[in-house]
Amino acid sequence: MNMYKLSKKSTRALCEGGIMVALAVILGMLRLYRLPNGGSITIAILPLVFFAARYGPGWGFLAGFAYGGLDYIVGHGIAIDWTSILFDYFLSYGLLGLGAGLFHKNKYRAYIGTVAGGALMFLSFYLVGVFIWGKYMPEEFLGLTMTSPWIYSFLYNTISVGPNVVLTLILFALLHRVKPIRKQLLPEEL
């Protein structure tokens, strides 16, 4: 690949990435439901996965990382200290972009990327929930007595991440019916 093509692709990726991060911030403000101890049900991950599925894991990680920081600042993030900011925002969404971008050459990259990115984001949230937020675990959650931060974090983050992944998959299925968007989701386009 010559230097001109590389520069043109990088410029395009930076511009599209900025637009997708901005769109994710806006969509993140349109919460369908806000959980009491942080986390929301939104469609904010849709543009991040769309971007990562087009440009790959490196660009996806950068876009997710940038979104995570903006989500903390603009979205009035909840944190205990710098570690919860780093892992609950920057790293979690960076991993979403990384996972979503891993399958950027696959025919079903938007769908597989949503699941893979969502799984990595869940893993980050889950471990933060166990090691950082676990000391604030309630005695009862969903009618169950909580005795382990491992179980509490699993339940809480399943409720937080699961609907976002499912909504994103549904929206990709609907968007896949729109020809100009379907064309952008196909590997041949890049």
Side-chain angles (χ1 to χ4, degrees):
M1 182 178 285
N2 69 30
M3 194 54 109
Y4 174 74
K5 271 188 151 180
L6 183 63
S7 175
K8 185 176 176 182
K9 184 178 178 183
S10 296
T11 302
R12 183 175 177 179
L14 277 172
C15 292
E16 281 187 37
I19 291 167
M20 292 300 162
V21 168
L23 183 57
V25 169
I26 292 166
L27 292 173
M29 290 179 191
L30 305 173
R31 295 180 177 101
L32 301 173
Y33 182 76
R34 186 175 186 136
L35 291 137
N37 297 325
S40 299
I41 313 275
T42 70
I43 57 170
I45 66 172
L46 179 78
L48 299 174
V49 172
F50 182 84
F51 175 74
R54 284 176 45 79
Y55 287 98
W59 285 105
F61 181 85
L62 289 173
F65 192 85
Y67 169 75
L70 288 170
D71 184 46
Y72 175 72
I73 294 167
V74 176
H76 309 291
I78 299 171
I80 297 172
D81 57 17
W82 68 270
T83 57
S84 60
I85 296 170
L86 179 65
F87 292 104
D88 258 346
Y89 294 93
F90 290 97
L91 186 63
S92 294
Y93 288 104
L95 288 173
L96 168 74
L98 176 79
L102 286 174
F103 301 94
H104 72 284
K105 294 187 182 199
N106 187 294
K107 181 180 178 183
Y108 301 104
R109 61 190 177 171
Y111 305 105
I112 297 169
T114 299
V115 173
L120 288 176
M121 182 173 70
F122 172 83
L123 180 64
S124 181
F125 285 148
Y126 174 64
L127 293 175
V128 170
V130 170
F131 296 113
I132 297 175
W133 292 102
K135 57 188 162 204
Y136 301 104
M137 175 181 71
E139 290 182 22
E140 189 176 297
F141 183 67
L142 298 175
L144 302 169
T145 303
M146 291 291 112
T147 57
S148 167
W150 295 92
I151 294 170
Y152 171 67
S153 183
F154 179 81
L155 292 172
Y156 193 90
N157 288 299
T158 298
I159 292 168
S160 175
V161 175
N164 293 330
V165 170
V166 170
L167 282 171
T168 301
L169 289 170
I170 291 168
L171 287 171
F172 272 128
L174 294 172
L175 290 171
H176 212 89
R177 297 181 181 277
V178 179
K179 192 172 183 174
I181 294 174
R182 181 176 56 238
K183 183 180 176 187
Q184 299 301 314
L185 291 171
L186 295 174
E188 304 85 58
E189 198 275 334
L190 289 175

